């Protein structure tokens, strides 16, 4: 049976549990767009403005190094999004290994679809949270598993086929999925709102996921990645987090 939820101490903060984080990186052709760099003073003088993919690589290196300063027990893995999800690099605490794999990533084709079920299947297969045929694939570990999805399509609405797979995966107390949606400015020529709505459906029941969207602001993108440094078992819901920020203003 699934492991029970982690206890919450009287002070309201849950116990620290190390993470295994899977970075799901979209490699569609739109990831070569450079709109986030057009207003960034630090890159205006460059001969080639950094693309969405470049910014993801840079920010994730900083993210992993910071997570490891918090705890050496955190591990990271890498998967790619085309028309489905493809596993690239297994869990490791070696940040340089992940960065080397990311370094070779380049935006590819204009994929006409994305199967969100393949992402849930990857989460189930690569985590040690869901028994197969009544047994776990390896001894139970003490990790929390999290997927951080970088989705970059303005015309392709991700599809959910199996509501059961979706619901059962997201209900597990030791699994979380966060999304950063990078898109073109909304217009009559794209479907950014529809894509955002579909990504919002990812965690409607549990409301434990964080979802950020961005089209042009490099500063906001970096802030979104920095916000995801918080351990998901210790952070508030995104709605409560925003409310706390507003109270502090």
């Amino acid at each position: 049976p699934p492991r029970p939820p982690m206890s919450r101490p009287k002070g309201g903060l849950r116990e620290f549990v190390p993470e295994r984080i899977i970075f799901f990186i979209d490699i569609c052709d739109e990831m070569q767009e450079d709109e986030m760099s057009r207003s960034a003073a630090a890159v205006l003088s460059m001969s080639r403005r950094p693309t969405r993919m470049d910014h993801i690589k840079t920010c994730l290196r900083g993210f992993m190094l910071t997570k490891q300063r918090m705890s050496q027990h955190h591990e990271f893995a890498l998967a790619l999004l085309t028309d489905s999800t493809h596993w690239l690099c297994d869990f490791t605490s070696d940040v340089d290994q992940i960065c080397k794999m990311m370094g070779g990533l380049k935006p590819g084709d204009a994929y006409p679809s994305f199967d969100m079920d393949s992402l849930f299947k990857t989460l189930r297969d690569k985590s040690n949270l869901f028994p197969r045929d009544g047994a776990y694939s390896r001894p139970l570990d003490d990790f929390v598993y999290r997927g951080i999805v970088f989705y970059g399509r303005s015309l392709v609405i991700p599809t959910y086929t199996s509501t059961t797979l979706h619901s059962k995966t997201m209900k597990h107390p030791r699994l979380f999925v966060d999304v950063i949606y990078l898109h073109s400015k909304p217009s009559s020529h794209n479907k950014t709102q529809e894509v955002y709505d579909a990504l919002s459906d990812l965690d409607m029941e549990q409301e434990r996921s964080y979802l950020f969207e961005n089209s042009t602001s490099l500063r906001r993108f970096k802030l979104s990645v920095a916000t995801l440094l918080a351990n998901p078992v210790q952070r508030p819901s995104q709605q409560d987090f925003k409310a706390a920020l507003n109270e502090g203003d």
Side-chain angles (χ1 to χ4, degrees):
R3 304 172 76 173
M6 290 161 283
S7 61
R8 183 185 293 272
K10 291 182 179 179
L13 187 66
R14 289 179 176 173
E15 63 185 271
F16 168 79
V17 181
E19 291 189 79
R20 278 184 169 156
I21 301 174
I22 306 171
F23 302 121
F24 293 91
I25 300 179
D26 197 343
I27 58 169
C28 73
D29 59 341
E30 290 185 61
M31 296 302 271
Q32 64 189 345
E33 297 293 332
D34 64 359
E35 63 273 80
M36 284 196 300
S37 299
R38 294 175 188 173
S39 60
V43 298
L44 287 177
S45 61
M46 293 183 179
S47 58
R48 184 186 72 84
R49 287 193 291 257
T51 64
R52 292 179 187 172
M53 183 68 77
D54 294 327
H55 290 309
I56 289 172
K57 293 175 183 179
T58 300
C59 286
L60 284 188
R61 179 175 179 81
F63 177 94
M64 289 186 285
L65 291 173
T66 304
K67 289 292 285 187
Q68 286 209 323
R69 282 195 288 269
M70 297 175 176
S71 171
Q72 290 291 320
H73 298 291
H74 293 309
E75 296 181 3
F76 312 98
L78 189 61
L80 308 181
L81 307 183
T82 58
D83 52 356
S84 60
T85 303
H86 303 274
W87 191 251
L88 184 62
C89 182
D90 209 353
F91 291 108
T92 178
S93 58
D94 187 342
V95 172
D96 288 337
Q97 179 182 345
I98 297 291
C99 289
K100 183 177 180 181
M101 298 295 291
M102 286 196 302
L105 298 183
K106 295 181 180 179
D109 297 330
Y111 302 104
S113 64
F114 177 66
D115 175 19
M116 188 64 80
D117 288 5
S118 68
L119 188 146
F120 294 126
K121 290 176 181 176
T122 299
L123 286 167
R124 295 176 72 92
D125 289 344
K126 299 301 180 178
S127 68
N128 194 35
L129 302 175
F130 302 92
R132 296 181 183 178
D133 300 323
Y136 289 91
S137 58
R138 56 184 182 273
L140 291 174
D141 54 49
D142 292 323
F143 287 94
V144 164
Y145 289 82
R146 177 161 51 137
I148 299 181
V149 182
F150 294 86
Y151 194 78
R153 308 181 198 187
S154 301
L155 290 168
V156 179
I157 303 170
T159 57
Y160 302 81
T161 303
S162 173
T163 55
T164 301
L165 174 67
H166 175 193
S167 178
K168 286 186 176 181
T169 303
M170 294 302 296
K171 282 182 178 178
H172 199 290
R174 284 181 176 260
L175 187 143
F176 301 81
V177 181
D178 298 323
V179 180
I180 295 181
Y181 176 36
L182 303 176
H183 58 84
S184 302
K185 288 185 177 180
S187 74
S188 59
H189 302 294
N190 59 40
K191 301 178 181 178
T192 53
Q193 184 61 55
E194 293 92 330
V195 174
Y196 180 83
D197 292 342
L199 293 172
S200 299
D201 290 341
L202 186 115
D203 191 27
M204 289 188 65
E205 294 182 30
Q206 305 300 313
E207 296 185 348
R208 300 180 305 152
S209 297
Y210 277 29
L211 169 61
F212 300 96
E213 59 81 24
N214 193 359
S215 59
T216 60
S217 174
L218 180 57
R219 179 181 177 277
R220 278 182 56 203
F221 173 67
K222 291 180 176 180
L223 180 60
S224 299
V225 175
T227 302
L228 296 182
L229 285 167
N231 195 303
V233 302
Q234 297 179 314
R235 70 190 184 187
S237 69
Q238 188 171 16
Q239 183 175 353
D240 290 342
F241 177 74
K242 289 180 178 179
L245 286 180
N246 292 335
E247 290 174 2
D249 289 340

